[in-house]
């Protein structure tokens, strides 16, 4: 009887380890250091956002599963459209509580939600009109599964429309 319990325990540990390894391998690598992602002083980026300066603004962090799904697709669409995005790592020391409060105030004004949720991508055109996207697409739960082909295309279309909106 002890052997069976021992074997079941080992099997459970192996299954959990396999699931963890699968998830960490299957998610895209987080890379916000591309030619299309502008890393400048967080003060400048946050102030530009709050002042509604035209551009694309991306807020996220490395261990966020939705960010890891979104970022390579966003980067690809930025490149195709010859547009750059201002990028802020919301877990970096540079993203102070003061900046977080400013971004959360902006976030709440446009989304109606209180706490900043990432990835938060903002698109502002020359008329200072704002579009935004939170996460990837509705019904996508990044910790549980990758984007389907249909969801990925939906995200590509949404990003392309929003990038074109910035160029208006």
């Amino acid at each position: 009887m002890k052997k069976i319990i021992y074997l079941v325990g080992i099997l459970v540990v192996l299954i959990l380890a396999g699931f963890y390894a699968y998830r960490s391998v299957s998610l895209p690598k987080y890379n916000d250091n591309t030619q299309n992602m502008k890393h400048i002083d967080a003060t400048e980026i946050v102030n530009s956002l709050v002042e509604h300066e035209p551009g694309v603004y991306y807020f996220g962090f490395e261990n966020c599963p939705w960010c890891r799904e979104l970022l390579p697709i966003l980067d690809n669409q930025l490149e195709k459209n010859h547009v750059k995005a201002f990028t802020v790592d919301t877990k970096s020391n540079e993203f102070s509580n003061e900046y977080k409060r400013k971004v959360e105030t902006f976030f709440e004004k446009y989304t109606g939600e209180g706490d900043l949720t990432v990835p938060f991508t903002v698109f502002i055109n020359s008329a200072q009109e704002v579009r935004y996207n939170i996460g990837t697409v509705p019904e996508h739960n990044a910790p549980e599964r990758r984007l389907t082909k249909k969801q990925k295309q939906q995200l590509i279309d949404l990003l392309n429309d929003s990038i074109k909106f910035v160029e208006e």
Side-chain angles (χ1 to χ4, degrees):
M1 184 66 172
K2 287 184 180 182
K3 280 185 175 181
I4 291 174
I5 293 173
Y6 178 73
L7 290 173
V8 169
I10 289 176
L11 184 62
V12 168
V13 168
L14 289 174
I15 289 172
L16 290 174
F19 177 74
Y20 176 77
Y22 169 76
R23 286 298 298 155
S24 62
V25 169
S26 67
L27 279 174
K29 185 176 179 178
Y30 187 89
N31 182 12
D32 66 353
N33 289 313
T34 69
Q35 293 179 17
N36 307 309
M37 301 290 179
K38 290 172 142 179
H39 288 273
I40 57 175
D41 183 59
T43 306
E44 197 174 327
I45 294 174
V46 171
N47 288 337
S48 294
L49 173 77
V50 180
E51 292 169 11
H52 294 82
E53 291 186 21
V56 178
Y57 300 82
Y58 166 80
F59 296 86
F61 63 94
E62 183 174 4
N63 293 326
C64 161
W66 287 272
C67 300
R68 290 178 66 174
E69 288 266 15
L70 171 73
L71 200 55
I73 297 169
L74 173 62
D75 185 56
N76 190 24
Q77 298 315 305
L78 289 167
E79 185 169 334
K80 283 183 178 179
N81 289 284
H82 309 289
V83 173
K84 309 277 187 221
F86 297 104
T87 305
V88 175
D89 179 345
T90 57
K91 296 293 184 183
S92 75
N93 292 335
E94 188 181 7
F95 191 64
S96 67
N97 287 335
E98 176 191 350
Y99 299 147
K100 184 177 181 185
R101 279 190 300 276
K102 285 182 176 184
V103 174
E104 282 183 336
T105 300
F106 183 94
F107 183 82
E108 185 174 357
K109 177 180 179 179
Y110 287 98
T111 69
E113 298 177 24
D115 293 330
L116 177 62
T117 304
V118 297
F120 179 47
T121 313
V122 181
F123 308 86
I124 303 176
N125 68 13
S126 60
Q128 296 186 324
E129 298 168 317
V130 175
R131 281 191 186 176
Y132 66 88
N133 190 55
I134 303 169
T136 52
V137 293
E139 307 302 320
H140 175 234
N141 188 349
E144 291 182 9
R145 66 190 169 284
R146 298 279 309 265
L147 286 165
T148 64
K149 285 182 181 180
K150 183 179 178 183
Q151 289 172 326
K152 187 175 180 180
Q153 188 58 54
Q154 185 181 0
L155 181 57
I156 288 168
D157 293 343
L158 181 146
L159 292 171
N160 275 330
D161 288 347
S162 296
I163 290 168
K164 286 181 174 123
F165 168 79
V166 170
E167 296 173 330
E168 292 177 353

